[in-house]
Amino acid sequence: DIQMTQSPSYVSASVGDRVTITCRASQAISSLLAWYQQRPGKAPKLLIYASSSLQSGVPSRFSGSRSGTDFTLTISSLQPEDFATYYCQQADSFPWTFGQGTKVEIK
Amino acid sequence: EVQLVESGGGLVQPGGSLRLSCAASGFAFRTYWMYWVRQAPGTGLVWVSHINSDGTSTNYADSVKGRFTISRDNAKNTLFLQMNSLRAEDTAVYYCAKDFRGSSMDSWGQGTLVTVSS
């Protein structure tokens, strides 16, 4: 199975900060990687698909990129509603796997 | 509007069985792959299972293979997860989710809690 190692596990940041979260795949995979946001007590929300494509309705401050087996989610200017937990998910092959999650908290 | 509504969760003893349902509306259910994803209390998301649009192909996480069975009734727009030989570590909120472009999940239900305990 493909393991997704997400870092950091925790980020303390202020409104307006630039935040970067990374997911590293345990082997070479395609660009079929997605990013989700989950607020407490809520279902996950799709932000990015195919590594860098912005899901409809998601603000443009969210972006995704890829470099080899490293995938990055960037929030260019953190907003109050962005404080949540973020997960990557690979869809290169079954079983699909998620990263462990990154919690973004208010500094 | 896409709606996914899970039901069937509850308290079950170790070794017991439970069947989850997910009622879908607002989209052409019969044409989409569907998934189950779970989340144990205070932990991250875990992908559980996948089924293709006509139910002829399924995939499972190693942790549930041989114990869980995913199925669907396209006439009733409903997704199922039959869970047998349940263990304490299966305790989680179970979400059903709709496929997006064969590589992600763009609509999720509200989740149903399964608690495995004696």
Side-chain angles (χ1 to χ4, degrees), chain B residues 34-52:
Chain B
M34 295 292 295
Y35 307 92
W36 288 99
V37 174
R38 70 184 182 184
Q39 186 170 36
T43 68
L45 301 171
V46 175
W47 180 89
V48 172
S49 185
H50 147 268
I51 188 167
N52 69 346

Side-chain angles (χ1 to χ4, degrees), chain A residues 1 32-34 36 38 41-46 48-50 55 87 89 91 94-100, chain B residues 33 35 37 39 43-47 50 59-62 95 99-106 108-110:
Chain A
D1 298 358
L32 297 180
L33 182 119
Y36 300 86
Q38 187 180 34
K42 300 295 186 182
K45 173 186 176 182
L46 178 63
I48 300 285
Y49 64 94
Q55 172 67 341
Y87 297 91
Q89 169 249 312
F94 288 116
W96 289 4
T97 45
F98 286 92
Q100 309 95 307
Chain B
W33 292 3
Y35 307 92
V37 174
Q39 186 170 36
T43 68
L45 301 171
V46 175
W47 180 89
H50 147 268
N59 287 278
Y60 298 93
D62 292 344
Y95 295 100
D99 179 74
F100 182 71
R101 300 196 179 202
S103 63
S104 57
M105 296 165 276
D106 67 342
W108 297 64
Q110 84 289 350

Side-chain angles (χ1 to χ4, degrees), chain B residues 10-113:
Chain B
L11 175 64
V12 60
Q13 292 189 337
S17 298
L18 214 52
R19 189 194 199 199
L20 305 184
S21 299
C22 172
S25 61
F27 65 104
F29 178 76
R30 66 179 63 245
T31 67
Y32 283 88
W33 292 3
M34 295 292 295
Y35 307 92
W36 288 99
V37 174
R38 70 184 182 184
Q39 186 170 36
T43 68
L45 301 171
V46 175
W47 180 89
V48 172
S49 185
H50 147 268
I51 188 167
N52 69 346
S53 58
D54 63 5
T56 57
S57 177
T58 59
N59 287 278
Y60 298 93
D62 292 344
S63 58
V64 306
K65 201 174 295 183
R67 300 187 299 123
F68 289 13
T69 302
I70 190 172
S71 62
R72 63 193 297 161
D73 184 338
N74 285 343
K76 296 184 177 179
N77 290 348
T78 305
L79 177 72
F80 302 102
L81 186 67
Q82 177 67 43
M83 304 186 296
N84 298 331
S85 303
L86 282 162
R87 307 166 180 167
E89 53 266 36
D90 296 318
T91 294
V93 172
Y94 285 74
Y95 295 100
C96 67
K98 169 185 163 290
D99 179 74
F100 182 71
R101 300 196 179 202
S103 63
S104 57
M105 296 165 276
D106 67 342
S107 296
W108 297 64
Q110 84 289 350
T112 187
L113 177 62

Side-chain angles (χ1 to χ4, degrees), chain A residues 27-66:
Chain A
Q27 64 191 65
I29 64 172
S30 66
S31 292
L32 297 180
L33 182 119
W35 290 96
Y36 300 86
Q37 175 193 69
Q38 187 180 34
R39 298 189 176 104
K42 300 295 186 182
K45 173 186 176 182
L46 178 63
L47 300 175
I48 300 285
Y49 64 94
S51 297
S52 59
S53 296
L54 192 67
Q55 172 67 341
S56 176
V58 174
S60 59
R61 62 181 180 273
F62 292 93
S63 64
S65 62
R66 173 193 180 180

Side-chain angles (χ1 to χ4, degrees), chain A residues 2-16:
Chain A
I2 298 170
Q3 308 303 318
M4 303 302 298
T5 302
Q6 195 171 331
S7 61
S9 299
Y10 172 86
V11 171
S12 181
S14 301
V15 172

